């Protein structure tokens, strides 16, 4: 393949370190599609004859059928998917196969193939995110009024609704979807025709190949086109940030499904048992989503480090761009599917959530707010008074709501019996009616907005 420049073939070590066919065979569909677009353009431009173009295109179709049926053969001497396809094409159609590489280099060839692959990965991510966001919105609508404890520092803070909690993840994933959509828009340029690095002297039509491959336009700089892997990093960065969100959600499901919490029961289909403890019901799918997030982030770091020191244009280091992305994309697709199943099928336990929300003095802020609002006490003083009330409730092993009026008035005489209207968890949640708050009416509004954004029907009673 290297032609007349070298007197000897590669050593066994060079052969092994140089070959990428074990992993880049995944690009065979993209490689054949881009080659068909390229040879069609060569024929249309008169760079190769119409007969030769038709012969090459027919041979590529035959190779595609073979690979679809039998898989891609792995011959390390052929190095990569590009030479593997070309070698088979030569076997099928003879020397005319050599005309396919006119006005093209493996540099722009792989850049085009890889963009096509990543474009499909972005599209899958957007579909998967849509399914998970739909599941979150559906469950949030069901639980717009289900009260649970809200936490800071994993300590009971204030009561919230489960619907509000789930919609927080909807917001995170909506930002993730926007990142993938932006990555898709930036990717939408075709490198084919940039050749090795400087373009080509043949009268090619780059607009035609870009259009044939459904790109918006050809790339504008041949040096950048063959050396750019921003599109791969865009995918990995978006996947990494989303994986962090999925990991946080998985961690919460793991906690909620544990016996001390008891807020949820994960579906049997996404749980496992123990080989020795028959009572166990392990949240393995959620734990693997949490674990896979580290591998996805690691893939992103790997490619960033590969790219950080490379001068223009192409360097062989860039062959290492595919394994981390292929791995990350496979894991990410699986994580989205697993999390969608968990959200859709988890059984939540409203009674246990409500009981937990009533513990830990979750309405302490409501007492302080009542003192500010009704007794005209500065908030810092109200905070101190409330702290005294919490200490008293702890000593009596009761909730703030269960303290006697006389006990509260002993702390501050300005407290009257109207305070008890503010101390229930229902009153607390209902009072948080500011835009974006946890009050059920606010949650229902956000769910309705989300359903419109997702194209769901919005006339369903929430």
């Amino acid at each position: 393949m290297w032609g007349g420049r070298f007197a000897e073939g590669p050593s066994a070590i060079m052969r092994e370190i140089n070959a990428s066919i074990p992993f880049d065979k995944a690009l065979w569909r993209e490689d054949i599609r881009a080659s068909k677009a390229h040879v069609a353009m060569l024929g249309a431009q008169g760079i190769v004859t119409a007969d030769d173009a038709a012969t090459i295109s027919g041979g590529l179709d035959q190779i595609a059928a073979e690979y679809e049926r039998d898989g891609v053969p792995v011959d390390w001497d052929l190095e990569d998917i590009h030479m593997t396809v070309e070698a088979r094409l030569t076997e099928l159609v003879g020397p005319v196969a050599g005309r396919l590489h006119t006005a093209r280099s493996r540099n722009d060839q792989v850049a085009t193939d890889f963009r096509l692959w990543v474009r499909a990965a972005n599209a899958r991510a957007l579909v998967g995110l849509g399914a998970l966001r739909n599941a979150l919105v559906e469950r949030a609508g069901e639980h717009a009024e289900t009260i649970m404890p809200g936490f800071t520092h994993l300590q009971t803070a204030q009561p919230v609704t489960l619907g509000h909690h789930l919609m927080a993840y909807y917001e995170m994933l909506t930002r993730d979807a926007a990142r993938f959509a932006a990555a898709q828009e930036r990717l939408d340029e075709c490198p084919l025709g940039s050749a090795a690095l400087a373009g080509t002297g043949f009268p090619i039509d780059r607009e035609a190949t870009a259009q044939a491959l459904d790109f918006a336009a050809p790339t504008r700089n041949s040096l950048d086109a063959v050396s750019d892997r921003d599109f791969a990093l865009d995918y990995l960065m978006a996947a990494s940030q989303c994986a962090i969100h999925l990991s946080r959600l998985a961690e919460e499901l793991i906690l909620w499904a544990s016996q001390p919490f008891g807020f949820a029961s994960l579906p049997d289909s996404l749980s496992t048992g123990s080989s020795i403890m028959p009572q166990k019901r392990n949240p393995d799918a959620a734990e693997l989503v949490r674990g896979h997030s580290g591998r996805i982030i690691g893939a992103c770091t790997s490619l960033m480090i590969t790219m950080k020191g490379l001068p223009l244009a192409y360097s062989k280091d860039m062959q290492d761009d595919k394994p981390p992305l292929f791995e990350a994309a496979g894991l990410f697709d699986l994580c989205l599917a697993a999390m969608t199943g968990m959200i859709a099928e988890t059984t939540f336990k409203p009674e246990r959530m409500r009981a937990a929300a009533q513990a830990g003095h979750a309405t302490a802020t409501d007492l302080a707010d009542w003192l500010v609002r009704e007794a005209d006490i500065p908030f810092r003083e109200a905070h101190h008074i409330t702290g005294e009330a919490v200490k008293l409730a702890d000593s009596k092993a009761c909730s703030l709501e269960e303290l006697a009026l006389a006990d509260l008035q002993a702390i501050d005489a300005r407290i009257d019996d109207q305070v008890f209207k503010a101390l229930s968890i229902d009153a607390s949640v209902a009072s948080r009616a500011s835009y974006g708050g946890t009050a059920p009416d606010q949650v229902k509004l956000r769910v309705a907005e989300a359903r419109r954004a997702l194209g769901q029907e919005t006339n369903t009673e929430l």
Side-chain angles (χ1 to χ4, degrees):
M1 186 271 294
W2 294 345
R5 171 65 179 85
F6 293 85
E8 298 179 6
S11 69
I13 293 173
M14 185 61 197
R15 173 178 171 273
E16 185 164 348
I17 198 172
N18 194 49
S20 59
I21 186 62
F23 54 83
D24 70 15
K25 63 183 180 180
L27 297 173
W28 72 263
R29 292 179 180 84
E30 290 77 14
D31 194 71
I32 289 176
R33 183 184 177 193
S35 291
K36 283 175 62 85
H38 182 66
V39 76
M41 179 275 295
L42 293 178
Q45 293 296 105
I47 298 170
V48 302
T49 67
D51 286 345
D52 284 350
T55 298
I56 290 170
S57 186
L60 291 169
D61 286 338
Q62 183 174 339
I63 295 170
E66 292 175 358
Y67 290 177
E68 194 71 63
R69 183 183 64 246
D70 304 324
V72 179
V74 174
D75 182 344
W76 288 43
D77 287 329
L78 294 172
E79 290 190 12
D80 56 31
I81 186 60
H82 321 298
M83 296 310 302
T84 297
V85 170
E86 186 172 327
R88 179 57 179 151
L89 184 64
T90 301
E91 291 174 353
L92 292 174
V93 304
V96 70
R99 298 190 184 280
L100 173 59
H101 212 53
T102 306
R104 184 178 76 171
S105 163
R106 280 193 298 176
N107 293 354
D108 63 333
Q109 189 177 358
V110 68
T112 303
D113 294 353
F114 200 21
R115 278 191 188 233
L116 290 170
W117 197 96
V118 174
R119 185 172 69 184
N122 276 327
R124 290 196 308 273
L126 287 166
V127 171
L129 280 165
L132 179 50
R133 290 161 69 210
N134 272 288
L136 285 165
V137 169
E138 185 66 26
R139 301 312 302 274
E142 294 172 14
H143 292 282
E145 299 181 8
T146 298
I147 294 176
M148 65 174 291
F151 299 96
T152 60
H153 308 277
L154 206 57
Q155 304 291 311
T156 299
Q158 295 174 337
V160 297
T161 61
L162 175 57
H164 191 56
H165 196 113
L166 294 174
M167 287 301 289
Y169 284 98
Y170 168 82
E171 294 296 334
M172 296 180 209
L173 297 176
T174 297
R175 295 192 295 272
D176 293 327
R179 278 183 275 272
F180 279 107
Q184 198 77 313
E185 183 176 349
R186 284 192 293 273
L187 173 150
D188 201 17
E189 295 178 349
C190 182
L192 194 58
S194 299
L197 75 163
T200 178
F202 289 96
I204 61 173
D205 183 350
R206 294 193 63 208
E207 293 284 352
T209 48
Q211 185 175 6
L213 295 172
D214 297 320
F215 285 104
T219 51
R220 292 177 296 277
N221 183 286
S222 59
L223 280 168
D224 177 54
V226 300
S227 63
D228 169 45
R229 293 299 183 267
D230 286 1
F231 61 91
L233 285 169
D234 277 349
Y235 174 88
L236 287 170
M237 289 177 185
S240 294
Q241 192 147 3
C242 186
I244 292 170
H245 296 150
L246 297 180
S247 182
R248 294 179 71 182
L249 179 53
E251 170 66 7
E252 296 208 298
L253 291 176
I254 292 164
L255 289 172
W256 293 356
S258 67
Q259 282 76 19
F261 276 79
F263 289 0
S265 177
L266 300 183
D268 286 349
S269 59
L270 292 166
S271 303
T272 66
S274 165
S275 64
I276 188 172
M277 296 170 285
Q279 84 282 9
K280 292 294 293 299
R281 200 162 181 277
N282 298 326
D284 281 12
E287 290 172 348
L288 287 167
V289 168
R290 186 178 60 185
H292 288 351
S293 67
R295 293 170 66 185
I296 293 167
I297 294 165
C300 184
T301 302
S302 172
L303 184 53
M304 285 193 290
I305 292 172
T306 295
M307 296 301 299
K308 73 176 181 60
L310 299 185
L312 294 177
Y314 181 84
S315 295
K316 195 67 170 181
D317 314 44
M318 292 168 68
Q319 184 168 287
D320 285 339
D321 55 2
K322 295 166 203 67
L325 195 141
F326 289 167
E327 179 188 24
L331 293 172
F332 185 66
D333 291 346
L334 192 57
C335 287
L336 284 175
M339 192 58 69
T340 300
M342 277 185 277
I343 291 299
E345 298 175 28
T346 287
T347 300
F348 294 108
K349 307 294 183 63
E351 299 81 5
R352 186 66 177 260
M353 290 181 170
R354 184 178 181 88
Q358 288 175 319
H361 310 302
T363 60
T365 306
D366 298 277
L367 173 56
D369 288 348
W370 184 89
L371 290 167
V372 170
R373 189 171 55 250
E374 302 299 331
D376 196 27
I377 297 173
F379 182 80
R380 283 300 166 204
E381 183 181 352
H383 186 284
H384 179 78
I385 294 167
T386 300
E388 293 290 328
V390 167
K391 183 164 59 175
L392 179 60
D394 277 342
S395 70
K396 291 177 173 288
C398 68
S399 69
L400 289 172
E401 190 179 10
E402 292 169 332
L403 287 172
L405 178 60
D407 290 333
L408 290 169
Q409 289 180 329
I411 296 170
D412 194 286
R414 290 169 288 186
I415 299 175
D416 61 36
D417 61 359
Q418 296 301 304
V419 73
F420 294 104
K421 294 180 180 179
L423 294 183
S424 73
I425 57 173
D426 295 283
S428 175
V429 166
S431 71
R432 298 307 196 270
S434 57
Y435 183 88
T438 195
D441 287 347
Q442 280 294 313
V443 175
K444 291 175 183 179
L445 286 172
R446 302 291 81 75
V447 167
E449 290 171 353
R451 284 180 168 167
R452 286 193 292 272
L454 293 168
Q456 295 183 8
E457 294 294 329
T458 59
N459 57 0
T460 302
E461 186 69 26
L462 293 178

